[in-house]
Amino acid sequence: MRAGGDVPAGRAGKDAAKEGRGARRPQRRRRGGWRIPAGLIALSLVPSIAGAHRLGELATSAPVTEENARFFAMPLPVVAHIIGAIVYSVLGAFQFAPAFRRRHPGWHRIAGRVLVGAGVIVAVSGLWMAVFYDLPPIDGPVLELTRLVVGTGMLAALVLAVVTIRRRDIAAHRAWMIRAYALAMGAGTQVFTHLPYELIAGTPGVGTRAFLMGAGWGINIIVAEWIIRGRPGPRARRPA
């Protein structure tokens, strides 16, 4: 034995290295916690730019075409929809940063109230446009019906989110807010369902467009349910 119970230098070095790695792990996890919010903001980027372009057209009295005539005839619903969607998508992304929520619980509650309000505006204005705006030739009745289902589903999810948080059912509140956000982010995913098709086959027809749009919402709902139920754990290893 060594005098005074000294630890061998090699072992002490290994222990120090382990402690150093352990101290660095939480920091890496904290940095990694922003990947999901950043990805969600990136997902909303293209629809947000398109919406900002639409607002610019309305603000500058751009030429009226067959494609945008309905927006000039009644601009308030589309303006409310675009602004509400930008606020909802960006602010909602930060709710997917758990460490940030825990450090700022007051911000989480205030942001949640803003999110519900913005989400209701998005859903109601979307339903209004689906019902009262003239149906573009490229959309068709199937896509219009899908939009009505999605808008109603998003509105219902927001209402249930409010009801469950008032009952202090945090898990159910979280689940309904995630579902509402997934439906609202459909426009971002639809960029990726449309782009490969258009690069290969050109502009989709009415039926194909309805399918590609529906696929965007469907993918988001599948991912949302996967998040709500939690990622499956690693499979147990079989004994040798």
Side-chain angles (χ1 to χ4, degrees):
M1 293 180 63
R2 296 177 183 269
D6 291 342
V7 179
R11 181 179 173 184
K14 291 180 181 178
D15 291 344
K18 288 180 181 179
E19 290 177 2
R21 286 195 298 269
R24 287 194 295 270
R25 282 172 189 164
Q27 187 175 1
R28 284 202 298 267
R29 280 198 290 268
R30 284 196 294 269
R31 287 199 297 265
W34 289 102
R35 292 175 185 171
I36 293 178
L40 292 172
I41 292 173
L43 185 65
S44 68
L45 189 60
V46 172
S48 297
I49 292 173
H53 175 71
R54 180 73 68 194
L55 292 178
E57 285 184 338
L58 295 172
T60 58
S61 300
V64 178
T65 64
E66 183 181 1
E67 189 273 334
N68 64 18
R70 62 191 187 279
F71 302 130
F72 279 96
M74 181 63 69
L76 181 59
V78 70
V79 170
H81 189 77
I82 292 170
I83 295 175
I86 293 174
V87 172
Y88 190 76
S89 60
V90 174
L91 192 61
F94 289 93
Q95 303 291 55
F96 289 86
F100 182 77
R101 291 202 317 266
R102 287 192 294 268
R103 288 196 301 270
H104 306 282
W107 179 91
H108 174 66
R109 287 190 291 269
I110 294 172
R113 294 186 179 98
V114 175
L115 277 172
V116 170
V120 169
I121 290 173
V122 172
V124 171
S125 61
L127 289 169
W128 196 99
M129 291 189 292
V131 172
F132 295 106
Y133 274 166
D134 292 335
L135 185 65
I138 192 62
D139 282 0
V142 174
L143 180 53
E144 182 178 21
L145 178 61
T146 305
R147 285 193 172 116
L148 291 173
V149 171
V150 169
T152 303
M154 180 181 172
L155 187 60
L158 289 168
V159 171
L160 289 169
V162 173
V163 170
T164 50
I165 195 60
R166 290 177 69 87
R167 294 176 180 172
R168 299 294 188 267
D169 189 345
I170 305 299
H173 168 74
R174 172 180 175 271
W176 287 115
M177 287 297 284
I178 290 174
R179 291 180 181 118
Y181 189 79
L183 291 173
M185 293 293 286
T189 308
Q190 285 155 3
V191 174
F192 295 97
T193 58
H194 277 74
L195 188 59
Y197 183 91
E198 293 187 4
L199 290 175
I200 296 171
T203 303
V206 174
T208 304
R209 174 172 161 79
F211 172 79
L212 295 174
M213 295 284 284
W217 285 306
I219 290 169
N220 283 12
I221 284 297
I222 291 171
V223 173
E225 294 301 326
W226 179 69
I227 293 172
I228 291 166
R229 285 159 174 74
R231 295 179 61 178
R235 295 180 180 178
R237 294 183 179 179
R238 295 181 180 179

